[in-house]
Amino acid sequence: MRYMWGQHLAFGKPFLEVGCTIRLLENIKVIADELDVPEDQPARVKRGITHEWPWVEETSGNMTDISVLPAKGTASEIVYLKGFEDQGWYQLDNARLSAAIRVEWDANSMPYLWYWQEFGSMTEYPWFGRH
């Protein structure tokens, strides 16, 4: 399957649940841009610095593994991933279901991956705490 630049994929229930994991290539960098999260909105990942996948510094100063999906109500997050070589890929694993979804793309054409997570903490439009 080929995806065009700007294509978006979103995954959720019933496949994704607390404890599912996201696997990536080694040496991936996590970019947390300051402009993506308003100052009055909580964020999970400390902004304005680059992290090494999957460990990021939280706004509290603690380190967390963002490859493991947290509990509902955790602050929403968007970061950008870079460092993919010719062939980019990620895999979503659900151990309880013994199932996985793998996505691959031409990393020369699409060198960055948006990593957006919504865990039900957004109570306003468009999610209203449902996801």
Side-chain angles (χ1 to χ4, degrees), residues 54-73:
W55 293 97
V56 298
E57 184 179 351
E58 294 181 316
T59 54
S60 66
N62 294 327
M63 297 300 289
T64 193
D65 179 351
I66 62 169
S67 71
V68 179
L69 297 186
K72 184 174 177 154

Side-chain angles (χ1 to χ4, degrees), residues 14-70:
F15 181 78
L16 288 183
E17 56 189 35
V18 173
C20 282
T21 57
I22 292 92
R23 291 194 304 138
L24 292 170
L25 297 164
E26 293 184 13
N27 301 316
I28 298 298
K29 306 289 187 226
V30 178
I31 303 165
D33 194 289
E34 292 177 345
L35 300 177
D36 287 331
V37 179
E39 290 184 23
D40 63 339
Q41 180 180 335
R44 229 175 131 198
V45 179
K46 185 174 182 178
R47 312 317 284 182
I49 61 174
T50 299
H51 310 266
E52 295 285 332
W53 176 268
W55 293 97
V56 298
E57 184 179 351
E58 294 181 316
T59 54
S60 66
N62 294 327
M63 297 300 289
T64 193
D65 179 351
I66 62 169
S67 71
V68 179
L69 297 186

Side-chain angles (χ1 to χ4, degrees), residues 2 13 23-25 31-32 39 42-43 51 59-60 66 69 83-86 93 101 108 110-111 115 118 121 127 130:
R2 293 184 62 97
K13 297 175 189 175
R23 291 194 304 138
L24 292 170
L25 297 164
I31 303 165
E39 290 184 23
H51 310 266
T59 54
S60 66
I66 62 169
L69 297 186
F84 300 96
E85 296 181 5
D86 294 334
D93 292 324
I101 298 170
N108 291 312
M110 295 174 32
Y115 187 59
E118 172 56 47
S121 67
W127 311 120
R130 294 181 301 211

Side-chain angles (χ1 to χ4, degrees), residues 89-127:
W89 65 267
Y90 63 87
Q91 184 166 312
L92 311 171
D93 292 324
N94 183 318
R96 184 184 65 78
L97 297 175
S98 298
I101 298 170
R102 185 176 175 113
V103 176
E104 298 178 354
W105 70 95
D106 176 359
N108 291 312
S109 297
M110 295 174 32
Y112 295 91
L113 176 67
W114 287 19
Y115 187 59
W116 171 62
Q117 298 179 315
E118 172 56 47
F119 303 110
S121 67
M122 174 74 83
T123 57
E124 298 171 3
Y125 175 84
W127 311 120

